[in-house]
Each structure stands twice: as structure tokens, then as C-alpha cells.
Amino acid sequence: MAVKPKVTNGSTTLGPAANEKDAEKLRFIEDMTMNTDAVQERVLAEILSRNAETEYLKRYKLDGATDRETFKAKLPVVTYEDLQPDIQRIANGDRSPILSSHPISEFLTSSGTSAGERKLMPTIREELDRRQLLYSLLTPVMNLYVPGLDKGKGLYFLFIKSESKTPSGLPARPVLTSYYKSEHFKSRPYDPFNVYTSPNEAILCTDSFQSMYAQMLCGLLQRLDVLRVGAVFASGLLRAIRFLQLNWEQLAADISSGTLTKQITDPAIREAVTQQLQPDPELARFITKECSKGDWACIITRIWPNTKYLDVIVTGAMAQYIPTLEYYSGGLPMACTMYASSECYFGLNLRPMCSPSEVSYTIMPMMGYFEFIPLDADGTMCNGAQTQLVDLAHVEVGKEYELVITTYSGLNRYRVGDILRVTGFHNCAPQFQFIRRKNVLLSIESDKTDEAELQKAVTKASELIKSYNATVVEYTSHASTKSIPGHYVIYWELLIKKDKTKNGKSGTIPTELLDKCCLEMEESLNTVYRQSRVADCSIGPLEIRVVRPGTFEELMDYAISRGASINQYKVPRCVNFPPILELLDSRVVSTHFSPGLPKWTPTRSN
């Protein structure tokens, strides 16, 4: 049995490795983390040297300097909006070295948005090698904790998303879609520690139903081989369980007869799945027995009894799904293995089997150059913090920071928007707990809706009820995950004047119109949300719950009773505290759901 890493003064010492290949990777991790500051210095010099002739660095008169002091003195800390004109020029076809000396190979679409559209992150071809390097470190670390992963397979529900092209013809797609479509993934060498039950053809199908059906079917056919079950996000794994609940009868029928349903029309999927599918009435009877009970507790371990852990992200907004995953898995460990974004892949969890509440990621210093904006206890920027950024090796345990990155692809001192807390160090490399995404109110999966977007959506929808002398006097929101998929819940308190409307109608608002308000709000939300609703089916219809008059005054009274200042009280635009949700739900007088899907196409508006 593998020995767990030793813990000395809060720092883990990796090893012994499961094999020589793993040992090499673990030595690499040790080397990088022992020399964090030196590696960071080298990375910055490499980035600045190779990009010295770019328009961006010349604009700030860096004049070929590669040292930290000059870099920090001359280059500003920037946001996406600052870079958007340059990024748009590249997207429109300008091939001059604007941000990077290497050609931009594609754009990675961030889950964050700007003016309702996905942010476009330029990337270069060699970044795939850098991401692959980080991926290659995950299995050696996991092998320290879970022995025997080479004796079975992983049931991972992996999907690609719709992509578009910029005016210049470069692809614009999510980072995982880029990776799954790359030769790094499609032509990956055989590795007994990383064998998936899902064929590539199923993963690479853009039809979410056909992709999920094929992956679930293959997972059922190989159920005794499965040692780990996962998806990128916790919400994705719950969608897979919901899919099984809705489609087990057809899946069992296919397994019993050995023929694939006609609902699967993709030729590549049909060929790949048919190679595995043979008549197996006994397995079909087992699936029918387990799924027809109506009892879905521990369904993962009942169907896949050899599962050792779940491989899903359950940090940040995904933490809301932990209780449901525990219910379906019978309390299996949940491994959060890696910290990454569209802008950059950052690091990995060196204790992947720890409790979700204890997950900390070690940022690997070779992935980019990292700086940190110090934050006060209330989450605001410290005085002078934007001019006094802290280097990776010099952050302090217990403090919170906003992450700033400089990448080989040409982002310089870019504010990612992630808020991190330092929990300790592995050797000289800090370990961070992900706290939250800056300014995000609502999130079900990859969607991120901020307060300004929510306000805009409420304002737009409230226009529909003006003809009934009605206004939204107060509102708040909640990302509900009680059902699968999760959905946005918006609480409205309405003021309806008693006099007749101009067209002679009474002030009572028709239910159908309030339903339409739900759809109007969805139409106003950003493109990531609308794609999740329309193409990915990862978010359910938006719900408006109308509460009785005076509810928000009661909410304020409750907050004041708990110590809030009446002079400084502001209605929270998002609520998660159970007693407040109970108060709101006890005052609901009507509920309304979006009657249709919002408009969405893969094509960008610019």
C-alpha cells in the first residue's frame, strides 16, 4: 500500500513514489517548490525577453529590461477592459506582435464576461505543452494516496462546448474544449493510470444528449472496472446522475438487446459504442433493479461498487453541491486535484484526498509569473496595494490576496479576479485556498453573474409589469441547487397601485406575464448563462418568487437583530444563509418559471 506524504511543520514531503516514472515527477515538484523565487525570477525574465519586441511592452518603454524592479515600475496592473482594444485587434486579424512574439493560435473563452460577452483570452500553441505538464503531475500525487489505480478505469463525464471563430478565423472556445480537441488529448499515449471508460468519440460530440448517453452507457458496461468517478465540476457529475434517473430504462434496454438506440445518430459514436455493446440481459436486470427502486442514495457505489473516490471540483461556488454528492456516493472522498483558468493553469492540490473544506492548491512557479494584491479583512484592497504587489514566495499565511498573472501568451500583470487565502507552504511555494470569484453573485456551474448584470436583468423585466401600475420595490437572489440542474431564484417584492391601469385593467398581474418576466431576465443575462441554458442544459429555468409586501423590512429587522447597523444596512443582492432563505420562502405568494429558452447562438456579437 502506498505511503502518504509525511507532514513536517505544515509542509508535506512527497514520496515514496509508486514507480520510477512517478518518482521523476515528484522530484520535479520538489525542485520547483524548493526554488520558488528563483524559478519565478527566471520565468519573468523568459517572458519579458521573448516578448521584448511586442507592441505592448514597447508602449510602456520596457526597453528590453527583464528584471522585476523595472517590470513593476513601468507596467500597470490591468483588467480585461484595459486589454480589450488590443485583443479585439488580434481577433480582427492584426498579425503584428501586439501582446506576444509568438503567433496567437486561438482564443480561450473565459467563463467571466465583459459587456455580456465571454472574455477572449489569447493563447499560443506551446501553452498546450505547459498545461500537459501540469496534468502529468496529477497522477503521481494521487498514487501516493490511492494505490492500484492502474488496475481499473475512470468514469469521467467530459464534454466539449460550442465554439465560434473570430473575424480573423481563429477559434474561440473554452479551455477544456481546446484541450480535448488537441492531439495532446486525442493521441495521448496509453497510461494504465489514466484509462477512461468513455471513448474519445463520445467526449468530442457537441450534442450534449448523445455525448452523455454514450458516456453513461460505456460506464455501465464497464461498471466493475470503474475505480473513480468524476467530472470537471460537481454540478456536471450531478447532471450525469440526473441523466441516469431519466434514461435508465432505455440504457437497460440497449444493454439487454446489445443494440444502440436510434436516438444516437452520430456515426462516430455509434461505431465506437457498438464495439463495446454486446447483449447482456443480466447487467440490464441489475440496472433495472437498482434504478427502479426510486431510492437513489449511494447510487454511485451501488452501480460502480469499486469506486474509491469522486474526482470533481467542489471548491468555491461548487461547495454548494457537496451534500448532494455525499448522498449519491455514500460519503466517498471528493478529490479536488487542480487549480486552473482560461488565462493560466496555476497549480495542484498536493493532498487531494483531504476534506473539501481543507483543499489548498500549491501554485507551481513555472506556469507563469504570479503577483498578489493584498486585501484587508473585509475583502477590500489595502491602501497602496495596487502599487505594492507581493511576489509568490513572499505572501503571508492567513492573509487574503487577489491573484495577478503574467503569462507566456502575453498577459502582463493581469487581474484574474480570484480571491485566495494563504493556508501554508510546501517547501517555499505557498498553498492557497480558493475563497471566491471577485464580484460574482450567482453561479450554478461555469456561469458567473455579477450584481450589475442582475440589476440590469431585473430592470429590463420590470418594464413588462409597468402597464399594471406595478414596480419591483426590492429584490434578492439565490443559486438553488435543490433540483438538478440548479437554477437562479429571484425574490421580488412588488408594489401594485390600487387604481385602474390606463387600459382599464385592474392592478392584478397575470401569471403568464410574470412567467414572461423570468424569460426577459434570462434574455438580459450574459452569453455564458444563456449557453448553459440552451446548449449545455446545465442550468434550469429561472424562477421568480413574489413575496408579500413588507418582507424586505422583515429581512432588515432580522439583520439588525443579529448586529447589523441600521444606518449601514443594504439589502443583500444574493442570499445563502438558511434562516434568511427560510424567511423569504415563508413569505412567497406566487412562483413563476421561464416558459422558454433565451436566445443564444455560438456566434459572437463582435
Side-chain angles (χ1 to χ4, degrees):
M1 185 170 182
V3 179
K4 295 182 179 180
K6 299 172 185 176
V7 179
T8 309
N9 298 325
S11 176
T12 54
T13 302
L14 301 175
N19 52 61
E20 183 51 40
K21 181 181 175 184
D22 282 7
E24 181 183 345
K25 295 294 185 182
L26 296 179
R27 285 194 293 269
F28 176 80
I29 293 173
E30 292 293 88
D31 182 46
M32 290 294 104
T33 58
M34 285 288 290
N35 301 287
T36 297
D37 204 43
V39 174
Q40 281 282 277
E41 189 172 32
R42 172 179 59 77
V43 166
L44 180 62
E46 284 179 1
I47 292 172
L48 297 180
S49 176
R50 68 191 293 177
N51 291 333
E53 296 303 312
T54 60
E55 180 182 322
Y56 189 85
L57 293 187
K58 284 184 173 181
R59 186 182 303 161
Y60 293 102
K61 298 179 171 46
L62 206 60
D63 298 329
T66 61
D67 62 284
R68 293 179 181 179
E69 293 73 20
T70 307
F71 168 75
K72 292 188 176 191
K74 293 193 173 185
L75 263 66
V77 177
V78 297
T79 65
Y80 182 79
E81 285 67 30
D82 297 322
L83 298 180
Q84 194 166 18
D86 289 328
I87 290 173
Q88 198 59 53
R89 284 171 55 200
I90 300 169
N92 289 340
D94 191 331
R95 291 289 185 265
S96 62
I98 298 172
L99 297 177
S100 171
S101 61
H102 285 51
I104 301 301
S105 57
E106 62 182 322
F107 288 95
L108 303 177
T109 53
S110 169
S111 57
T113 58
S114 177
E117 290 286 341
R118 284 184 183 267
K119 295 176 182 177
L120 292 175
M121 294 298 163
T123 191
I124 57 179
R125 199 169 303 281
E126 74 172 50
E127 277 300 318
L128 278 167
D129 298 328
R130 201 165 281 109
R131 291 181 213 126
Q132 185 61 44
L133 170 61
L134 196 63
Y135 280 125
S136 74
L137 304 179
L138 302 181
T139 297
V141 171
M142 185 59 75
N143 286 343
L144 296 173
Y145 291 86
V146 185
L149 291 178
D150 57 333
K151 303 299 189 291
K153 300 181 180 181
L155 169 53
Y156 284 86
F157 296 96
L158 306 176
F159 304 93
I160 63 170
K161 295 194 175 185
S162 300
E163 62 181 78
S164 60
K165 289 194 179 294
T166 64
S168 64
L170 289 175
R173 53 197 179 189
V175 63
L176 288 176
T177 297
S178 169
Y179 177 66
Y180 297 149
K181 285 190 166 186
S182 72
E183 291 305 314
H184 286 72
F185 180 79
K186 291 191 295 184
S187 302
R188 60 193 183 279
Y190 174 77
D191 177 358
F193 289 94
N194 267 313
V195 179
Y196 296 156
T197 57
S198 299
N200 286 355
E201 293 82 357
I203 295 170
L204 295 172
C205 177
T206 56
D207 185 304
S208 59
F209 175 86
Q210 294 190 64
S211 176
M212 179 74 86
Y213 191 95
Q215 293 189 60
M216 182 63 76
L217 181 60
C218 292
L220 293 171
L221 293 171
Q222 302 171 70
R223 75 181 195 91
L224 297 179
D225 296 328
V226 171
L227 300 182
R228 56 202 184 278
V229 176
V232 177
F233 294 113
S235 54
L237 183 51
L238 291 178
R239 284 208 321 278
I241 299 301
R242 181 59 179 161
F243 188 90
L244 179 62
Q245 291 173 340
L246 296 174
N247 296 280
W248 64 263
E249 290 179 277
Q250 184 60 58
L251 289 160
D254 287 7
I255 292 169
S256 179
S257 65
T259 57
L260 186 59
T261 175
K262 292 180 179 179
Q263 290 176 281
I264 306 303
T265 58
D266 184 289
I269 287 184
R270 291 196 68 88
E271 182 178 353
V273 174
T274 300
Q275 291 176 8
Q276 297 187 34
L277 189 58
Q278 300 292 330
D280 192 340
E282 183 180 351
L283 176 57
R285 284 192 295 271
F286 169 79
I287 292 167
T288 300
K289 175 188 171 186
E290 292 299 323
C291 296
S292 62
K293 294 176 181 177
D295 175 15
W296 294 91
C298 305
I299 190 63
I300 291 175
T301 47
R302 281 158 46 197
I303 298 289
W304 297 282
N306 298 317
T307 306
K308 297 174 181 285
Y309 65 92
L310 306 181
D311 191 345
V312 286
I313 294 173
V314 288
T315 52
M318 292 297 113
Q320 61 192 321
Y321 298 106
I322 292 172
T324 313
L325 283 174
E326 288 176 335
Y327 171 78
Y328 286 133
S329 72
L332 282 175
M334 300 175 203
C336 299
T337 56
M338 190 169 71
Y339 173 36
S341 74
S342 302
E343 296 90 342
C344 181
Y345 276 33
F346 304 117
L348 64 161
N349 181 5
L350 296 179
R351 296 194 305 122
M353 301 302 282
C354 68
S355 165
S357 63
E358 298 175 353
V359 170
S360 291
Y361 299 102
T362 303
I363 290 187
M364 297 302 293
M366 74 288 183
M367 298 304 294
Y369 184 69
F370 305 107
E371 299 174 90
F372 299 86
I373 300 174
L375 302 178
D376 286 328
D378 61 358
T380 58
M381 194 183 303
C382 297
N383 289 334
Q386 191 154 334
T387 56
Q388 298 294 324
L389 270 64
V390 180
D391 287 328
L392 178 64
H394 300 141
V395 295
E396 297 179 43
V397 173
K399 292 192 175 180
E400 292 187 6
Y401 300 87
E402 180 185 341
L403 177 60
V404 174
I405 61 170
T406 297
T407 69
Y408 286 90
S409 296
L411 297 178
N412 291 279
R413 310 198 85 189
Y414 177 82
R415 296 174 69 169
V416 176
D418 288 359
I419 308 301
L420 309 174
R421 180 184 297 132
V422 185
T423 57
F425 281 78
H426 176 73
N427 296 323
C428 299
Q431 298 175 310
F432 294 90
Q433 181 182 16
F434 180 89
I435 301 301
R436 59 186 169 87
R437 184 77 174 174
K438 188 179 177 185
N439 297 330
V440 172
L441 277 186
L442 293 169
S443 178
I444 296 294
E445 190 178 60
S446 58
D447 55 299
K448 294 177 175 67
T449 298
D450 62 28
E451 186 169 341
E453 287 178 305
L454 184 61
Q455 175 66 53
K456 176 185 170 186
V458 170
T459 301
K460 191 82 180 295
S462 64
E463 291 289 321
L464 298 180
I465 60 175
K466 277 189 174 180
S467 61
Y468 286 83
N469 286 337
T471 56
V472 179
V473 292
E474 207 52 272
Y475 72 91
T476 189
S477 63
H478 174 65
S480 174
T481 56
K482 289 183 177 179
S483 58
I484 303 172
H487 69 291
Y488 288 9
V489 176
I490 316 298
Y491 294 91
W492 274 12
E493 184 175 321
L494 302 177
L495 174 63
I496 304 175
K497 295 179 181 178
K498 297 299 183 183
D499 59 319
K500 299 287 185 178
T501 60
K502 293 178 181 178
N503 57 14
K505 296 178 182 176
S506 71
T508 303
I509 306 172
T511 295
E512 296 78 12
L513 187 58
L514 287 167
D515 294 344
K516 190 175 179 183
C517 287
C518 298
L519 182 57
E520 188 68 22
M521 283 195 68
E522 292 194 301
E523 295 282 10
S524 301
L525 294 175
N526 62 64
T527 187
V528 181
Y529 174 90
R530 287 180 282 117
Q531 177 177 347
S532 298
R533 278 278 285 126
V534 177
D536 305 335
C537 304
S538 58
I539 300 179
L542 183 143
E543 178 185 4
I544 290 176
R545 297 179 186 174
V546 178
V547 297
R548 74 189 187 196
T551 296
F552 280 84
E553 282 190 35
E554 294 182 60
L555 197 63
M556 181 180 70
D557 292 341
Y558 178 81
I560 292 170
S561 74
R562 290 176 55 84
S565 166
I566 190 169
N567 295 318
Q568 296 179 319
Y569 176 77
K570 293 192 300 183
V571 173
R573 291 308 179 204
C574 180
V575 293
N576 294 301
F577 189 45
I580 292 179
L581 289 170
E582 289 172 14
L583 188 155
L584 288 167
D585 286 333
S586 70
R587 306 300 191 268
V588 171
V589 294
S590 64
T591 59
H592 310 271
F593 289 89
S594 183
L597 293 170
K599 297 182 183 68
W600 175 82
T601 62
T603 306
R604 291 178 59 85
S605 62
N606 54 4

